[in-house]
Amino acid sequence: MYIGLLHLHSALRYVVVLLLIVAIIKAFTGWFGGKTYTESDRKLALFTMISVHLQLVIGLVLYFVSPVVKGALADMGAAMQNTELRFWAVEHISTNIIGIILITIGYSTAKRASIDKAKFMRTAIFYLIGFVLIMSAIPWPWSRVARGWF
Ligand code: HEM
């Protein structure tokens, strides 16, 4: 189960990154272009939020079955001194959860706004900050905690 979930979680990152990029570009162009907020804008923001929530659920399961995290949690003192173990036990989960919370706030506050410009603006700002946080917490092949592309 662990390996299967790890691959699913790893592959889903591309869906998350792609949806976030499209949703952010559409939100900014809608905001600065004075466009009408349509049902397809809302659906795009919704599917993007669902994709990060799915990552959260898979990530939470992984957190409790991962041998890497288990090893780190067994000795947190030592794990905090180790770049890789600290990343998996603390940094990856906390940074991503903050990013996911911001995206959720962006979706729900945009939904409640009555003016189209405000809907686009809230989506643009919250999704952009969430995106930056999530991108910074992905173990890209060039990062200090490098993992493969898939
Ligand atoms: C949108 C948010 C997230 C993205 C894009 C993301 C991405 C990734 C990627 C690319 C990997 C490496 C997969 C591999 O080695 O093949 C990974 C591993 C992992 N992620 Fe996430 N993740 C996200 C959120 C979370 C959250 C919220 C949690 C915890 C609640 C979490 C827990 C884990 C764990 C435990 C591992 C595996 C560590 C291991 O055993 O090697 N992730 N994640």
Side-chain angles (χ1 to χ4, degrees), residues 3 20-21 34 51 57 60 63 66 76 84 87 91 101 120 134 144 146 148:
I3 295 294
L20 275 170
I21 290 173
S51 74
V57 173
L60 276 174
Y63 197 82
S66 161
M76 271 304 265
E84 188 142 341
F87 177 81
E91 293 165 9
I101 289 173
F120 282 126
I134 289 171
R144 67 194 153 93

Side-chain angles (χ1 to χ4, degrees), residues 1 27 35-36 40 50 62 71 82 85 91-92 109 117 121 127 149:
M1 179 182 84
K35 293 187 179 153
T36 305
S40 79
I50 290 172
L62 273 176
N82 178 299
L85 294 181
E91 293 165 9
H92 184 71
T109 57
K117 190 175 177 176
M121 189 185 78
Y127 277 44
W149 289 103

Side-chain angles (χ1 to χ4, degrees), residues 12-77:
L12 197 60
R13 96 181 87 167
Y14 296 105
V15 176
V16 166
V17 169
L18 195 75
L19 281 173
L20 275 170
I21 290 173
V22 177
I24 291 164
I25 290 173
K26 285 217 77 183
F28 272 103
T29 51
W31 176 11
F32 291 109
K35 293 187 179 153
T36 305
Y37 190 88
T38 63
E39 184 57 13
S40 79
D41 291 311
R42 192 191 66 80
K43 279 194 180 141
L44 176 61
L46 175 67
F47 289 138
T48 306
M49 184 181 70
I50 290 172
S51 74
V52 295
H53 284 180
L54 199 57
Q55 274 300 63
L56 172 65
V57 173
I58 301 169
L60 276 174
V61 178
L62 273 176
Y63 197 82
F64 293 102
V65 298
S66 161
V68 180
V69 176
K70 269 186 198 155
L73 296 183
D75 186 352
M76 271 304 265

